[in-house]
Structure formats: structure tokens, C-alpha cells
């Protein structure tokens, strides 16, 4: 809750942990001002444990992202499953967060939904060329499309339901249009593939 007083003061009501963190920040600011008041070439600054932990956590998160990027660059056009990345990192939550940050920065992309396979953006064009070379010159059954794309039937069905792929029924068989699959492949890893 925020209120304004007649003297242009703002009063903020915060939960206790946030208020304590803000007080630590105010103390650190006062200490910093005092330390910088001298003319020395170098200044020793005390860093509260909370700030040191935050720096350490950020460094650890950056190291995790770098490790994942290295793994995906080594995997090349084979890519890696989310589960394999999480097992290598040792934490599903940390791996999932790092994958989201890397994807948001355009350094990696995924193919599929759910249990996705991740790829480094440096191998995007090579993967697209490889998939287009595997693509037959006719409409595909769901099984054929899955084999070409490296995706399961459930994922193919999800892509059809979300209209990222299109198909027609021939008797009891769902036939995916060749051009739809080719367009899907060309959009892999681009902003259009949302």
C-alpha cells in the first residue's frame, strides 16, 4: 500500500522480508557514500551477505546458461531433450529457467511441444536443410511426418490442433500436406514458429 503525505513523502507498506532487504540496501548506500568520501586511489567496500549471495546466484545462473549452450553446440543438428539437459545440470528448475532465458535471447530454439528437443541457433540452417532432405515428395502420414521431424504422434496431433501443420482425412488416415510440413520445417527456430 502506498500513501502520500502533505510534505511530498511517500509511505510504503511492505512485507517484513522486503522491508529488511530495503533497510540493508539503505545501510549499504550509506556505507558506500562514506567510503567514497575520501580521496584514496582504492576503496574497500563492505558488501552485505545478501548482495554477495545475489552476485553469486547470478554468476551461477550465467554459468548454467553457458553450459547448456555449450552442450547444444556440441549436439549440433541432433539436439537434446529437455530431460537430458536437466539431468546434466542436476536441477529441473534451474535447467528450465536457463532454457527459457536462452530461448528468449534467441540463442536456442526448440522443435515440438511438451518434451521438446532443443537446438543451438548456430545449427538452425543445417537442421532445416537436413529435414528438408528427408522430406518425401508426397503428402505424409502422421507416422512419416513424425519420422521426418523427429516428433511423436502426440506432438504431431498437437501441431495439427494448433494449426501449425495442416492435413486432410483419407478414409481412416490423416495425411499431412507436403507443403505444410515443408513450411513448418522452414519456420523452425524463427519468430514465425510460435
Amino acid at each position: 500500500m502506498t500513501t502520500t503525505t502533505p510534505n511530498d513523502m511517500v509511505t510504503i507498506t511492505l512485507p517484513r522480508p522486503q522491508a529488511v532487504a530495503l533497510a540493508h540496501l539503505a545501510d549499504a548506500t550509506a556505507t558506500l557514500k562514506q567510503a567514497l568520501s575520501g580521496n584514496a586511489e582504492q576503496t574497500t567496500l563492505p558488501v552485505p551477505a545478501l548482495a554477495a549471495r545475489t552476485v553469486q546466484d547470478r554468476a551461477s545462473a550465467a554459468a548454467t546458461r553457458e553450459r547448456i549452450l555449450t552442450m547444444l553446440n556440441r549436439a549440433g543438428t541432433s539436439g537434446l531433450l529437455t530431460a537430458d539437459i536437466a539431468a546434466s545440470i542436476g536441477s529441473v528448475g534451474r535447467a528450465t529457467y536457463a532454457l527459457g532465458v536462452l530461448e528468449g535471447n534467441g540463442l536456442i530454439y526448440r522443435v515440438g511441444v511438451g518434451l521438446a528437443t532443443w537446438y543451438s541457433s548456430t545449427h538452425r540452417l543445417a537442421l532445416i536443410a537436413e529435414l528438408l532432405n528427408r522430406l518425401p515428395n508426397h503428402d505424409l502420414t502422421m507416422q512419416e511426418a513424425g519420422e521426418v521431424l523427429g516428433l511423436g504422434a502426440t506432438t504431431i496431433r498437437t501441431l495439427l490442433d494448433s494449426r501449425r501443420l495442416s492435413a486432410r482425412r483419407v478414409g481412416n488416415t490423416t495425411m499431412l500436406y507436403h507443403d505444410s510440413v515443408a513450411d513448418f520445417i522452414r519456420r523452425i527456430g524463427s519468430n514465425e514458429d510460435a
Side-chain angles (χ1 to χ4, degrees), residues 47-69:
V47 178
L50 181 64
R53 192 172 332 122
T54 300
V55 169
Q56 182 180 9
D57 290 346
R58 286 184 181 153
S60 175
T64 298
R65 290 191 301 271
E66 189 61 36
R67 184 171 171 198
I68 290 173
L69 198 53

Side-chain angles (χ1 to χ4, degrees), residues 110-117 151 154-156 158-159 162 164:
R110 60 184 147 175
V111 176
V113 292
L115 294 174
T117 302
L151 302 173
T154 303
T155 303
I156 297 292
T158 302
L159 292 170
S162 66
R164 291 168 66 190

Side-chain angles (χ1 to χ4, degrees), residues 15-106:
R16 184 153 181 80
Q18 291 178 354
V20 169
L22 191 57
H24 285 301
L25 182 61
D27 290 343
T29 302
T31 304
L32 178 62
K33 285 180 181 178
Q34 183 180 9
L36 293 175
S37 65
N39 293 328
E41 286 287 320
Q42 293 184 347
T43 303
T44 302
L45 299 174
V47 178
L50 181 64
R53 192 172 332 122
T54 300
V55 169
Q56 182 180 9
D57 290 346
R58 286 184 181 153
S60 175
T64 298
R65 290 191 301 271
E66 189 61 36
R67 184 171 171 198
I68 290 173
L69 198 53
T70 301
M71 290 168 41
L72 290 174
N73 279 325
R74 281 190 195 136
T77 59
S78 299
L80 292 172
L81 291 172
T82 305
D84 295 334
I85 294 170
S88 177
I89 298 302
S91 167
V92 173
R94 177 177 274 177
T96 302
Y97 179 77
L99 288 167
V101 170
L102 289 168
E103 183 181 32
N105 292 336

Side-chain angles (χ1 to χ4, degrees), residues 81 104 108 127 146 150 184 192:
L81 291 172
I108 65 173
L127 177 65
F184 176 82
E192 301 171 39

Side-chain angles (χ1 to χ4, degrees), residues 168-186:
R168 61 181 163 68
R169 297 286 294 175
V170 177
N172 291 336
T173 305
T174 301
M175 298 296 293
L176 283 80
Y177 293 111
H178 172 272
D179 291 344
S180 172
V181 176
D183 288 342
F184 176 82
I185 291 171
R186 288 186 195 99

Side-chain angles (χ1 to χ4, degrees), residues 119-134:
Y119 301 89
S120 167
S121 292
T122 57
H123 300 290
R124 179 177 176 264
L125 296 177
L127 177 65
I128 289 171
E130 184 178 309
L131 294 177
L132 288 173
N133 283 336
R134 279 195 250 166

